[in-house]
Amino acid sequence: MDAQQRSYLVFLRFFSALLLVAALYFAQEVLVPLALSALLAFMINPLVKLLCRCRLPRAMSVVIVTMLVFTLMGCVFWMVGKELHHLANSLPNYRHNIQERVSTVRNASEGGTIARLRTMVADISTSALDVSAGRQKQVSTPAVQPPAAPDNAASAPQPAPPPVEGGMASKILNASLSFLANGLGVAAVVIVFVIFMLLRQEDISHRIVGLAGFSRLTTTTRAMDEIGGRISRYLLMLATVNSLYGLMLAIGLAFIGLPYVLLWGVLAALFRFIPYIGPWIVAVLPIGLSLAVFDGWTQPLMVAGLIIGLELLTNMVLEPLLYGHSVGVSDFALLVAITFWTWLWGGLGLVLATPLTVCIVVICKYIPSLAWVDVLMGEKQPPQAHLMAFRRLVAGDEDAFQSTIHDSIEKNGIEATLDEVVLPAWS
């Protein structure tokens, strides 16, 4: 293959990637419910398998699990909506505490560093305006005044403003009804997709294997098994961890005395599906409400301490114990993927970023021409001893080379070190 053909192939791949991104963006109204349905199907499938092991038919297991899961989700969202309504009605009652917090912060800033910085900026701005005004006065010429309007012009009747069509309340009501109708429609489509994906799991698997071809039967089967096992295990354990986190947060906030603990517990459990930034986004809400509800600073500090303590407990104990930190994707690659899917699909893309990225990395690992995706985005692989020894020889670091050989001898013995480290490094 000459240089022209290679450049043509690179351009063709780049153009195909652009077309794929454009298709994902413009077809998001269809692809987002489908991806969300696949996510829920992966999460529910272990429960269906558990009932199937109890000698229940798969159709009955799917119906039982989906009815329980979606009924529970509906009840939870109904209670959350009810608490949100009560919170919106009770916010004016906390106006006095909010004004006191603002006045406290303002009084603390007076006479301090913030006030001195504000005075310095105001002096610099005033000096700059004085200099600019002096320069304009030197180069300015007297302007010709326009003729004064007759007195009767002021008394002439002004045209009436155009009438406003509809009121603000009707616009808000129409927008809310439209959003609710779209949400209910998407929810109905997702439920139907989930039921059919669970019922026709074997049929879908056979069709994908047939589409890939009989020659790739083993590779396709291994890729699908790894995708299904890894994502199902990750999502089920993540849902368990998030539910425990929301339950502990609600109990802790109830002991502190903060109202609407069910709302904060559910929001915390839902936002923890967003990697890295989700928990801290939702942490602002109960802390802000505690500043508005309580008079002193003790309860807000207790709320902040509770959230930080639960985060440390979850990240250091529960997550490594149940499913580990890694899902097969490096941290930096996952951040890049979160940014991409959020830009492409918005808030739902933020939720779907992790499972979609795992699927892409696993699929690319089994395709030789796309193996570089797994190298760039996959989890960190342990460095090979002979490659480390060779790099240190090239760099001229004899001490590091001897340290590598010594560690390999202690771990594997002299013969294995000569065969697996020294000879490959020198060859």
Side-chain angles (χ1 to χ4, degrees):
M1 184 181 294
D2 56 2
Q4 185 177 2
Q5 291 178 345
R6 284 196 297 268
S7 61
Y8 176 74
L9 184 60
V10 170
F11 173 76
L12 184 61
R13 290 178 177 177
F14 178 73
F15 184 70
S16 301
L18 289 181
L19 286 180
L20 179 61
V21 172
L24 290 174
Y25 178 77
F26 288 107
Q28 58 180 310
E29 293 185 359
V30 177
L31 295 178
V32 169
L34 188 61
L36 188 59
S37 304
L39 175 68
L40 292 175
F42 277 123
M43 188 183 301
I44 296 174
N45 192 44
L47 301 177
V48 175
K49 289 182 177 180
L50 182 62
L51 291 182
C52 290
R53 293 193 191 101
C54 297
R55 306 289 181 89
L56 286 178
R58 184 170 182 84
M60 184 180 297
S61 303
V62 169
V63 171
I64 293 174
V65 171
T66 52
M67 286 183 61
L68 289 177
V69 170
F70 287 111
T71 302
L72 180 62
M73 292 174 61
C75 293
V76 169
F77 285 131
W78 179 77
M79 289 187 290
V80 168
K82 190 175 180 180
E83 290 216 343
L84 275 175
H85 177 71
H86 291 322
L87 176 61
N89 292 333
S90 62
L91 279 179
N93 299 330
Y94 307 130
R95 185 181 304 172
H96 179 68
N97 287 345
I98 296 174
Q99 292 176 353
E100 286 187 354
R101 299 288 185 185
V102 173
S103 62
T104 302
V105 174
R106 185 180 301 171
N107 294 333
S109 63
E110 293 180 357
T113 305
I114 298 177
R116 289 195 295 269
L117 289 175
R118 190 185 304 165
T119 304
M120 183 182 68
V121 172
D123 293 340
I124 294 174
S125 301
T126 304
S127 301
L129 289 175
D130 292 340
V131 173
S132 177
R135 291 178 180 177
Q136 290 180 0
K137 185 181 292 185
Q138 293 177 1
V139 299
S140 62
T141 56
V144 179
Q145 298 292 333
D151 295 337
N152 56 0
S155 60
Q158 299 295 329
V164 179
E165 297 181 359
M168 184 62 68
S170 63
K171 293 181 180 179
I172 295 176
L173 180 61
N174 292 332
S176 301
L177 292 177
S178 176
F179 177 77
L180 182 60
N182 292 333
L184 291 176
V186 172
V189 171
V190 167
I191 292 174
V192 173
F193 276 166
V194 169
I195 293 175
F196 275 92
M197 284 180 181
L198 292 173
L199 287 175
R200 305 298 181 187
Q201 181 185 9
E202 295 295 332
D203 182 63
I204 295 173
S205 301
H206 292 324
R207 291 178 184 273
I208 294 176
V209 171
L211 185 64
F214 184 76
S215 60
R216 300 184 179 90
L217 177 62
T218 304
T219 303
T220 306
T221 304
R222 290 175 58 188
M224 291 180 61
D225 290 342
E226 185 173 351
I227 290 173
R230 184 186 297 183
I231 294 180
S232 296
R233 182 174 61 254
Y234 167 73
L235 291 177
L236 186 59
M237 292 298 102
L238 182 61
T240 304
V241 171
N242 292 350
S243 301
L244 291 175
Y245 179 89
L247 180 62
M248 291 187 293
L249 179 64
I251 294 174
L253 293 178
F255 276 107
I256 294 174
L258 189 71
Y260 312 108
V261 294
L262 177 63
L263 174 64
W264 310 129
V266 173
L267 289 180
L270 292 177
F271 271 79
R272 280 189 60 84
F273 281 95
I274 302 174
Y276 304 118
I277 60 175
W280 303 110
I281 292 176
V282 75
V284 177
L285 300 177
I287 294 176
L289 182 64
S290 66
L291 292 173
V293 171
F294 301 112
D295 295 330
W297 292 93
T298 303
Q299 287 88 351
L301 292 177
M302 291 175 64
V303 172
L306 174 65
I307 294 174
I308 295 174
L310 287 178
E311 281 296 324
L312 294 176
L313 175 65
T314 305
N315 295 330
M316 295 183 179
V317 178
L318 292 180
E319 290 181 355
L321 182 63
L322 292 179
Y323 64 88
H325 290 287
S326 178
V327 292
V329 182
S330 66
D331 295 338
F332 180 74
L334 189 57
L335 287 175
V336 174
I338 289 171
T339 305
F340 171 76
W341 290 109
T342 305
W343 166 76
L344 193 66
W345 286 350
L348 287 176
L350 187 64
V351 178
L352 297 170
T354 301
L356 289 176
T357 307
V358 172
C359 292
I360 292 173
V361 170
V362 173
I363 292 173
C364 293
K365 184 174 69 173
Y366 289 96
I367 301 176
S369 60
L370 297 177
W372 56 272
V373 176
D374 180 56
V375 175
L376 290 179
M377 302 184 66
E379 59 184 350
K380 184 179 179 181
Q381 300 292 334
Q384 299 180 5
H386 69 278
L387 294 179
M388 293 178 58
F390 177 74
R391 290 176 58 186
R392 288 166 180 175
L393 278 176
V394 172
D397 193 350
E398 296 182 0
D399 295 334
F401 175 75
Q402 293 178 1
S403 176
T404 302
I405 299 300
H406 181 69
D407 294 339
S408 179
I409 290 174
E410 290 183 352
K411 183 178 180 180
N412 302 320
I414 298 177
E415 294 182 359
T417 301
L418 291 175
D419 293 336
E420 299 175 4
V421 179
V422 178
L423 291 178
W426 281 101
S427 59

mmCIF file of all heavy atoms in Angstrom, residues 138-173:
data_model
loop_
_atom_site.group_PDB
_atom_site.id
_atom_site.type_symbol
_atom_site.label_atom_id
_atom_site.label_comp_id
_atom_site.label_asym_id
_atom_site.label_seq_id
_atom_site.Cartn_x
_atom_site.Cartn_y
_atom_site.Cartn_z
ATOM 1 N N GLN A 138 -10.069 67.203 24.956
ATOM 2 C CA GLN A 138 -9.069 67.911 24.164
ATOM 3 C C GLN A 138 -9.330 67.803 22.672
ATOM 4 O O GLN A 138 -9.075 68.733 21.917
ATOM 5 C CB GLN A 138 -7.673 67.363 24.484
ATOM 6 C CG GLN A 138 -7.220 67.683 25.906
ATOM 7 C CD GLN A 138 -5.865 67.066 26.223
ATOM 8 O OE1 GLN A 138 -5.274 66.423 25.368
ATOM 9 N NE2 GLN A 138 -5.387 67.300 27.442
ATOM 10 N N VAL A 139 -9.796 66.678 22.205
ATOM 11 C CA VAL A 139 -9.951 66.475 20.761
ATOM 12 C C VAL A 139 -11.381 66.675 20.296
ATOM 13 O O VAL A 139 -11.654 66.587 19.106
ATOM 14 C CB VAL A 139 -9.496 65.042 20.388
ATOM 15 C CG1 VAL A 139 -8.045 64.841 20.744
ATOM 16 C CG2 VAL A 139 -10.354 64.003 21.091
ATOM 17 N N SER A 140 -12.294 66.937 21.196
ATOM 18 C CA SER A 140 -13.698 67.063 20.794
ATOM 19 C C SER A 140 -13.968 68.447 20.212
ATOM 20 O O SER A 140 -13.289 69.436 20.531
ATOM 21 C CB SER A 140 -14.609 66.814 21.995
ATOM 22 O OG SER A 140 -14.373 67.792 22.991
ATOM 23 N N THR A 141 -14.939 68.542 19.315
ATOM 24 C CA THR A 141 -15.394 69.788 18.713
ATOM 25 C C THR A 141 -16.844 70.007 19.080
ATOM 26 O O THR A 141 -17.573 69.045 19.312
ATOM 27 C CB THR A 141 -15.254 69.725 17.184
ATOM 28 O OG1 THR A 141 -15.981 68.593 16.713
ATOM 29 C CG2 THR A 141 -13.776 69.567 16.776
ATOM 30 N N PRO A 142 -17.286 71.251 19.106
ATOM 31 C CA PRO A 142 -18.693 71.479 19.461
ATOM 32 C C PRO A 142 -19.626 70.870 18.423
ATOM 33 O O PRO A 142 -19.435 71.030 17.218
ATOM 34 C CB PRO A 142 -18.812 73.009 19.500
ATOM 35 C CG PRO A 142 -17.651 73.503 18.706
ATOM 36 C CD PRO A 142 -16.552 72.517 18.879
ATOM 37 N N ALA A 143 -20.539 70.123 18.896
ATOM 38 C CA ALA A 143 -21.496 69.454 18.009
ATOM 39 C C ALA A 143 -22.663 70.366 17.702
ATOM 40 O O ALA A 143 -23.018 71.241 18.487
ATOM 41 C CB ALA A 143 -22.003 68.172 18.665
ATOM 42 N N VAL A 144 -23.240 70.156 16.503
ATOM 43 C CA VAL A 144 -24.405 70.935 16.088
ATOM 44 C C VAL A 144 -25.643 70.370 16.762
ATOM 45 O O VAL A 144 -25.912 69.169 16.657
ATOM 46 C CB VAL A 144 -24.554 70.888 14.555
ATOM 47 C CG1 VAL A 144 -25.782 71.671 14.122
ATOM 48 C CG2 VAL A 144 -23.300 71.428 13.896
ATOM 49 N N GLN A 145 -26.325 71.269 17.493
ATOM 50 C CA GLN A 145 -27.522 70.822 18.204
ATOM 51 C C GLN A 145 -28.680 70.686 17.228
ATOM 52 O O GLN A 145 -28.888 71.560 16.379
ATOM 53 C CB GLN A 145 -27.892 71.812 19.319
ATOM 54 C CG GLN A 145 -26.818 71.952 20.381
ATOM 55 C CD GLN A 145 -26.675 70.687 21.180
ATOM 56 O OE1 GLN A 145 -27.618 69.921 21.302
ATOM 57 N NE2 GLN A 145 -25.466 70.457 21.707
ATOM 58 N N PRO A 146 -29.425 69.618 17.291
ATOM 59 C CA PRO A 146 -30.588 69.495 16.402
ATOM 60 C C PRO A 146 -31.665 70.469 16.797
ATOM 61 O O PRO A 146 -31.731 70.919 17.958
ATOM 62 C CB PRO A 146 -31.044 68.038 16.650
ATOM 63 C CG PRO A 146 -30.559 67.705 18.008
ATOM 64 C CD PRO A 146 -29.264 68.462 18.181
ATOM 65 N N PRO A 147 -32.488 70.861 15.844
ATOM 66 C CA PRO A 147 -33.571 71.811 16.179
ATOM 67 C C PRO A 147 -34.546 71.214 17.176
ATOM 68 O O PRO A 147 -34.821 70.024 17.146
ATOM 69 C CB PRO A 147 -34.240 72.055 14.822
ATOM 70 C CG PRO A 147 -33.878 70.856 13.988
ATOM 71 C CD PRO A 147 -32.508 70.461 14.431
ATOM 72 N N ALA A 148 -34.985 72.098 18.067
ATOM 73 C CA ALA A 148 -35.892 71.642 19.112
ATOM 74 C C ALA A 148 -37.242 71.290 18.518
ATOM 75 O O ALA A 148 -37.721 71.902 17.563
ATOM 76 C CB ALA A 148 -36.065 72.739 20.185
ATOM 77 N N ALA A 149 -37.814 70.299 19.058
ATOM 78 C CA ALA A 149 -39.134 69.870 18.586
ATOM 79 C C ALA A 149 -40.181 70.839 19.075
ATOM 80 O O ALA A 149 -40.031 71.462 20.139
ATOM 81 C CB ALA A 149 -39.441 68.470 19.096
ATOM 82 N N PRO A 150 -41.196 71.033 18.330
ATOM 83 C CA PRO A 150 -42.275 71.936 18.796
ATOM 84 C C PRO A 150 -42.945 71.399 20.043
ATOM 85 O O PRO A 150 -42.905 70.218 20.326
ATOM 86 C CB PRO A 150 -43.250 71.973 17.595
ATOM 87 C CG PRO A 150 -42.940 70.740 16.825
ATOM 88 C CD PRO A 150 -41.471 70.496 16.992
ATOM 89 N N ASP A 151 -43.533 72.337 20.767
ATOM 90 C CA ASP A 151 -44.145 71.962 22.043
ATOM 91 C C ASP A 151 -45.331 71.028 21.861
ATOM 92 O O ASP A 151 -45.614 70.197 22.722
ATOM 93 C CB ASP A 151 -44.604 73.223 22.793
ATOM 94 C CG ASP A 151 -43.389 74.079 23.171
ATOM 95 O OD1 ASP A 151 -42.280 73.517 23.248
ATOM 96 O OD2 ASP A 151 -43.574 75.294 23.366
ATOM 97 N N ASN A 152 -46.045 71.206 20.741
ATOM 98 C CA ASN A 152 -47.232 70.369 20.582
ATOM 99 C C ASN A 152 -46.887 68.920 20.266
ATOM 100 O O ASN A 152 -47.747 68.054 20.297
ATOM 101 C CB ASN A 152 -48.139 70.934 19.492
ATOM 102 C CG ASN A 152 -47.360 71.074 18.161
ATOM 103 O OD1 ASN A 152 -46.176 70.747 18.099
ATOM 104 N ND2 ASN A 152 -48.050 71.601 17.148
ATOM 105 N N ALA A 153 -45.561 68.640 19.955
ATOM 106 C CA ALA A 153 -45.190 67.256 19.674
ATOM 107 C C ALA A 153 -45.234 66.408 20.920
ATOM 108 O O ALA A 153 -45.502 65.217 20.862
ATOM 109 C CB ALA A 153 -43.786 67.209 19.046
ATOM 110 N N ALA A 154 -44.905 67.058 22.071
ATOM 111 C CA ALA A 154 -44.930 66.299 23.321
ATOM 112 C C ALA A 154 -46.338 65.898 23.704
ATOM 113 O O ALA A 154 -46.558 64.878 24.362
ATOM 114 C CB ALA A 154 -44.278 67.106 24.442
ATOM 115 N N SER A 155 -47.296 66.764 23.284
ATOM 116 C CA SER A 155 -48.675 66.455 23.656
ATOM 117 C C SER A 155 -49.387 65.563 22.657
ATOM 118 O O SER A 155 -50.565 65.276 22.826
ATOM 119 C CB SER A 155 -49.470 67.765 23.804
ATOM 120 O OG SER A 155 -49.445 68.463 22.563
ATOM 121 N N ALA A 156 -48.653 65.167 21.568
ATOM 122 C CA ALA A 156 -49.293 64.299 20.571
ATOM 123 C C ALA A 156 -49.531 62.923 21.163
ATOM 124 O O ALA A 156 -48.734 62.438 21.959
ATOM 125 C CB ALA A 156 -48.403 64.193 19.325
ATOM 126 N N PRO A 157 -50.595 62.282 20.801
ATOM 127 C CA PRO A 157 -50.881 60.936 21.358
ATOM 128 C C PRO A 157 -49.860 59.917 20.861
ATOM 129 O O PRO A 157 -49.509 59.903 19.682
ATOM 130 C CB PRO A 157 -52.290 60.637 20.843
ATOM 131 C CG PRO A 157 -52.443 61.490 19.615
ATOM 132 C CD PRO A 157 -51.661 62.741 19.868
ATOM 133 N N GLN A 158 -49.361 59.095 21.773
ATOM 134 C CA GLN A 158 -48.396 58.058 21.454
ATOM 135 C C GLN A 158 -49.140 56.787 21.028
ATOM 136 O O GLN A 158 -50.220 56.490 21.536
ATOM 137 C CB GLN A 158 -47.519 57.751 22.679
ATOM 138 C CG GLN A 158 -46.715 58.949 23.153
ATOM 139 C CD GLN A 158 -45.684 59.396 22.118
ATOM 140 O OE1 GLN A 158 -45.170 58.562 21.377
ATOM 141 N NE2 GLN A 158 -45.424 60.697 22.065
ATOM 142 N N PRO A 159 -48.523 56.018 20.102
ATOM 143 C CA PRO A 159 -49.198 54.765 19.699
ATOM 144 C C PRO A 159 -49.216 53.766 20.836
ATOM 145 O O PRO A 159 -48.271 53.646 21.603
ATOM 146 C CB PRO A 159 -48.325 54.274 18.528
ATOM 147 C CG PRO A 159 -46.997 54.928 18.744
ATOM 148 C CD PRO A 159 -47.285 56.268 19.366
ATOM 149 N N ALA A 160 -50.295 53.041 20.957
ATOM 150 C CA ALA A 160 -50.456 52.066 22.036
ATOM 151 C C ALA A 160 -49.584 50.847 21.766
ATOM 152 O O ALA A 160 -49.367 50.460 20.612
ATOM 153 C CB ALA A 160 -51.930 51.642 22.133
ATOM 154 N N PRO A 161 -48.998 50.258 22.821
ATOM 155 C CA PRO A 161 -48.173 49.059 22.625
ATOM 156 C C PRO A 161 -49.017 47.895 22.126
ATOM 157 O O PRO A 161 -50.219 47.818 22.394
ATOM 158 C CB PRO A 161 -47.620 48.779 24.033
ATOM 159 C CG PRO A 161 -48.597 49.410 24.959
ATOM 160 C CD PRO A 161 -49.110 50.620 24.248
ATOM 161 N N PRO A 162 -48.396 46.995 21.364
ATOM 162 C CA PRO A 162 -49.177 45.859 20.853
ATOM 163 C C PRO A 162 -49.653 44.979 21.987
ATOM 164 O O PRO A 162 -48.984 44.824 23.003
ATOM 165 C CB PRO A 162 -48.163 45.112 19.957
ATOM 166 C CG PRO A 162 -46.825 45.530 20.487
ATOM 167 C CD PRO A 162 -46.994 46.926 20.972
ATOM 168 N N PRO A 163 -50.813 44.419 21.863
ATOM 169 C CA PRO A 163 -51.335 43.574 22.943
ATOM 170 C C PRO A 163 -50.501 42.305 23.091
ATOM 171 O O PRO A 163 -50.009 41.744 22.116
ATOM 172 C CB PRO A 163 -52.766 43.247 22.486
ATOM 173 C CG PRO A 163 -52.719 43.407 20.990
ATOM 174 C CD PRO A 163 -51.725 44.503 20.717
ATOM 175 N N VAL A 164 -50.330 41.870 24.310
ATOM 176 C CA VAL A 164 -49.585 40.656 24.618
ATOM 177 C C VAL A 164 -50.530 39.460 24.480
ATOM 178 O O VAL A 164 -51.591 39.421 25.107
ATOM 179 C CB VAL A 164 -48.992 40.714 26.039
ATOM 180 C CG1 VAL A 164 -48.234 39.420 26.340
ATOM 181 C CG2 VAL A 164 -48.091 41.923 26.180
ATOM 182 N N GLU A 165 -50.109 38.505 23.659
ATOM 183 C CA GLU A 165 -50.940 37.328 23.430
ATOM 184 C C GLU A 165 -50.702 36.316 24.537
ATOM 185 O O GLU A 165 -49.599 35.783 24.672
ATOM 186 C CB GLU A 165 -50.605 36.707 22.068
ATOM 187 C CG GLU A 165 -50.905 37.636 20.908
ATOM 188 C CD GLU A 165 -50.591 36.981 19.584
ATOM 189 O OE1 GLU A 165 -50.128 35.821 19.612
ATOM 190 O OE2 GLU A 165 -50.815 37.603 18.546
ATOM 191 N N GLY A 166 -51.717 36.052 25.308
ATOM 192 C CA GLY A 166 -51.587 35.076 26.386
ATOM 193 C C GLY A 166 -50.836 35.664 27.572
ATOM 194 O O GLY A 166 -50.251 36.735 27.501
ATOM 195 N N GLY A 167 -50.834 34.971 28.649
ATOM 196 C CA GLY A 167 -50.116 35.370 29.839
ATOM 197 C C GLY A 167 -48.949 34.456 30.125
ATOM 198 O O GLY A 167 -48.779 33.398 29.508
ATOM 199 N N MET A 168 -48.124 34.914 31.061
ATOM 200 C CA MET A 168 -46.956 34.113 31.424
ATOM 201 C C MET A 168 -47.379 32.781 32.051
ATOM 202 O O MET A 168 -46.738 31.747 31.819
ATOM 203 C CB MET A 168 -46.088 34.906 32.401
ATOM 204 C CG MET A 168 -44.791 34.210 32.777
ATOM 205 S SD MET A 168 -43.715 33.948 31.354
ATOM 206 C CE MET A 168 -43.277 35.655 30.990
ATOM 207 N N ALA A 169 -48.442 32.812 32.822
ATOM 208 C CA ALA A 169 -48.896 31.575 33.474
ATOM 209 C C ALA A 169 -49.311 30.530 32.446
ATOM 210 O O ALA A 169 -49.001 29.342 32.574
ATOM 211 C CB ALA A 169 -50.048 31.870 34.430
ATOM 212 N N SER A 170 -50.020 30.973 31.408
ATOM 213 C CA SER A 170 -50.446 30.010 30.381
ATOM 214 C C SER A 170 -49.257 29.444 29.621
ATOM 215 O O SER A 170 -49.238 28.256 29.273
ATOM 216 C CB SER A 170 -51.422 30.682 29.415
ATOM 217 O OG SER A 170 -50.781 31.753 28.731
ATOM 218 N N LYS A 171 -48.229 30.271 29.375
ATOM 219 C CA LYS A 171 -47.040 29.778 28.680
ATOM 220 C C LYS A 171 -46.307 28.740 29.516
ATOM 221 O O LYS A 171 -45.873 27.700 29.009
ATOM 222 C CB LYS A 171 -46.112 30.939 28.337
ATOM 223 C CG LYS A 171 -46.673 31.892 27.300
ATOM 224 C CD LYS A 171 -45.686 33.008 26.984
ATOM 225 C CE LYS A 171 -46.248 33.962 25.936
ATOM 226 N NZ LYS A 171 -45.304 35.058 25.631
ATOM 227 N N ILE A 172 -46.165 29.031 30.808
ATOM 228 C CA ILE A 172 -45.496 28.077 31.691
ATOM 229 C C ILE A 172 -46.290 26.774 31.787
ATOM 230 O O ILE A 172 -45.731 25.670 31.766
ATOM 231 C CB ILE A 172 -45.290 28.706 33.084
ATOM 232 C CG1 ILE A 172 -44.327 29.890 32.999
ATOM 233 C CG2 ILE A 172 -44.764 27.671 34.077
ATOM 234 C CD1 ILE A 172 -44.155 30.628 34.303
ATOM 235 N N LEU A 173 -47.627 26.908 31.858
ATOM 236 C CA LEU A 173 -48.469 25.710 31.943
ATOM 237 C C LEU A 173 -48.361 24.874 30.675
ATOM 238 O O LEU A 173 -48.241 23.645 30.729
ATOM 239 C CB LEU A 173 -49.915 26.121 32.197
ATOM 240 C CG LEU A 173 -50.933 24.979 32.322
ATOM 241 C CD1 LEU A 173 -50.563 24.076 33.491
ATOM 242 C CD2 LEU A 173 -52.336 25.533 32.486
#
